[in-house]
Amino acid sequence: MAVSKAQQAATAKYMKNNYDEMKIRVRKGAKQLIEAAAKADNESINGYVKKAVKAKYEADTGKKIEL
């Protein structure tokens, strides 16, 4: 089913108002390794990275973080 222009605009507005974006850079070949690990864990790349960041943040600070 095609998404209307109005729906695209509404989604973009929601994303802008509710989420920050981050871009990470990894060495050549690391992206494929992360993709494979995420797939093996039945997870999206975004979900896999967020889970790793959350675990590291909580281990380092002792505080929970919502991502």
Side-chain angles (χ1 to χ4, degrees):
M1 180 175 203
V3 178
S4 70
K5 295 278 186 193
Q7 183 62 49
Q8 289 175 346
T11 300
K13 181 180 177 183
Y14 176 84
M15 296 294 283
K16 181 180 177 188
N17 290 334
N18 292 284
Y19 292 96
D20 289 326
E21 288 190 35
M22 297 175 67
K23 182 176 184 175
I24 64 168
R25 297 181 194 284
V26 295
R27 293 192 182 271
K28 289 280 186 184
K31 178 182 173 187
Q32 289 76 18
L33 296 174
I34 295 166
E35 286 174 337
K39 186 175 182 179
D41 206 23
N42 214 15
E43 187 104 45
S44 68
I45 297 169
N46 188 60
Y48 186 83
V49 171
K50 284 171 54 175
K51 188 170 29 172
V53 169
K54 185 176 180 178
K56 177 70 170 148
Y57 181 86
E58 291 176 4
D60 289 351
T61 67
K63 299 177 184 176
K64 299 220 179 262
I65 186 173
E66 275 303 315
L67 300 177

